[in-house]
Amino acid sequence: MKGLADKLRLIYKPFLLITIGFMVTYTFLHWVLFIKAGIPLKENILKFWFPFTLPFIPVYIWLRPRLKLLQFKDDKGSFGYQFLACMAMAVPTIIAQEYLATATGKLTELENIAQISQHDRTKYYSLKKYYIDKQHFAVQNKLSVTGRHNENLNMFIYVIMPLLESQDNPFFSSNKYWLGQKYQRQISNRLSNQEKDDRYKAFAEQAQKEFYKTNFENFTYLEVIGNTDDREEFNKAKRRLGQKSTAENIIFKANTEPFEARNGNKLPWVFGSLGIGLLAYLVFLLFPKLKGEEEHHQFTSGDSSGISKL
């Protein structure tokens, strides 16, 4: 039992403090710097890549020296515990950023789309009067390969339509407001070129049918598409209509569910994933043994650059 108590005190407690501290600090900086201050940064970097990669820094500085107290057959064992700690930090932090973006987004109620310039820019909007011009749409196609061994072929079709005040308002080349719709499908990248072409044609035909039968005016609120790869593809489609991308241009995504449901189950998943990560790390700490008492004493006596103060 003394060995377990030492593991909890010397390794698990610092891991717990680092995990919670990282998640809270990163989420706070996200809110202050990128939501309130509006510093421009790609959303996939802010919501995924930073939370995924940055945990390696505190783990390397503060947790890695403490993992040297455990007995491993080789260095791979220590690296595995570092990686597990990083994942335990990254997953709930990534989910927390998605929750932060939806939970802090404000809804602005407008009579028509022309009133948007009279208000501060927000993430969500509701409109009483509007018209989606499906006659002047443009399409952008995209293919990408994903997977550890490039085994997945992802097919995307981006459709953009002018969002007007009413059906009586004509479409101009300087239109500022747009509605975007994305269709996507994933197939095996190991198919022959002919099979890929056939699958893409079937996908395009299905997307076309779905587009024409969809009533895009049947939405409860609009969501501004932020600084994402999707927005870049929608802008490419918009340029096919002779449209230039400016700061005044806004591309929306239509949502049909109630505004109150925008957060979904993100918050429970934040705490759920955090709890799973903390529990998993505790279980894994039960397996390796601690090294000798002399090393424990030297480590906790202050020879470890202050991390024993955690």
Side-chain angles (χ1 to χ4, degrees), residues 240-301:
R240 295 179 182 272
L241 295 172
Q243 299 285 309
K244 295 182 179 180
S245 299
T246 66
E248 295 181 331
N249 293 158
I250 303 178
I251 303 173
F252 298 97
K253 171 188 174 183
N255 293 284
T256 56
E257 73 274 7
F259 179 72
E260 294 74 16
R262 69 193 184 283
N263 294 322
N265 295 319
K266 296 186 184 75
L267 188 59
W269 271 107
V270 170
F271 292 103
S273 59
L274 176 62
I276 292 172
L278 295 178
L279 179 60
Y281 207 76
L282 177 61
V283 171
F284 275 87
L285 276 181
L286 299 178
F287 296 103
K289 295 181 180 180
L290 283 169
K291 295 180 180 178
E293 291 294 331
E294 182 178 349
E295 294 180 55
H296 298 179
H297 176 74
Q298 183 179 5
F299 184 85
T300 57
S301 63

Side-chain angles (χ1 to χ4, degrees), residues 5-235:
D6 288 339
K7 290 180 185 178
L8 294 176
R9 177 173 57 87
L10 298 174
I11 301 175
Y12 189 75
K13 181 181 176 181
F15 160 72
L16 177 64
L17 295 176
I18 294 170
T19 300
I20 296 177
F22 175 82
M23 186 172 69
V24 172
T25 301
Y26 185 86
T27 303
F28 175 74
L29 291 176
H30 178 181
W31 179 73
V32 171
L33 298 178
F34 302 100
I35 294 180
K36 299 295 289 185
I39 297 177
L41 188 67
K42 274 290 192 69
E43 289 188 10
N44 63 331
I45 297 176
L46 184 61
K47 294 181 179 179
F48 179 79
W49 289 112
F50 277 175
F52 182 77
T53 57
L54 291 180
F56 286 89
I57 297 176
V59 165
Y60 184 84
I61 295 175
W62 290 301
L63 192 61
R64 177 175 169 270
R66 292 178 175 270
L67 290 174
K68 293 181 179 180
L69 294 172
L70 299 175
Q71 296 180 8
F72 297 111
K73 293 181 179 180
D74 50 41
D75 293 337
K76 293 182 179 180
S78 177
F79 177 80
Y81 277 72
Q82 294 176 57
F83 182 79
L84 179 60
C86 291
M87 292 303 99
M89 296 181 195
V91 173
T93 304
I94 290 171
I95 301 174
Q97 307 322 299
E98 293 291 343
Y99 173 76
L100 180 69
T102 56
T104 59
K106 295 182 180 180
L107 176 69
T108 300
E109 298 180 355
L110 303 175
E111 184 71 20
N112 57 68
I113 194 64
Q115 294 180 345
I116 198 169
S117 60
Q118 303 172 14
H119 301 265
D120 292 335
R121 183 75 62 89
T122 59
K123 185 175 179 62
Y124 304 107
Y125 292 90
S126 65
L127 298 174
K128 293 183 179 180
K129 299 178 182 179
Y130 51 87
Y131 174 66
I132 308 298
D133 186 359
K134 292 178 68 174
Q135 302 302 314
H136 297 90
F137 69 90
V139 178
Q140 172 67 21
N141 303 314
K142 178 183 177 182
L143 297 175
S144 67
V145 176
T146 57
R148 185 175 181 180
H149 303 289
N150 295 329
E151 67 272 17
N152 300 318
L153 178 62
N154 306 292
M155 305 180 294
F156 301 92
I157 295 178
Y158 295 86
V159 184
I160 195 165
M161 301 157 277
L163 176 58
L164 307 175
E165 293 183 52
S166 69
Q167 191 170 359
D168 298 328
N169 292 100
F171 167 67
F172 293 104
S173 60
S174 58
N175 184 64
K176 298 179 182 178
Y177 310 113
W178 303 82
L179 185 71
Q181 177 66 32
K182 180 175 75 170
Y183 302 94
Q184 64 185 75
R185 182 174 297 176
Q186 185 180 88
I187 62 174
S188 172
N189 195 35
R190 296 188 176 93
L191 298 173
S192 67
N193 290 336
Q194 183 61 51
E195 288 177 307
K196 292 178 184 178
D197 289 340
D198 293 341
R199 297 286 183 90
Y200 183 82
K201 290 178 181 178
F203 164 60
E205 290 176 0
Q206 180 62 35
Q208 185 179 34
K209 292 179 181 179
E210 189 173 337
F211 171 77
Y212 282 115
K213 75 177 183 180
T214 299
N215 180 10
F216 290 101
E217 296 185 1
N218 185 26
F219 60 82
T220 53
Y221 66 96
L222 297 173
E223 178 181 350
V224 176
I225 298 178
N227 188 9
T228 63
D229 292 338
D230 284 346
R231 190 178 73 173
E232 291 184 358
E233 297 303 321
F234 283 125
N235 280 329

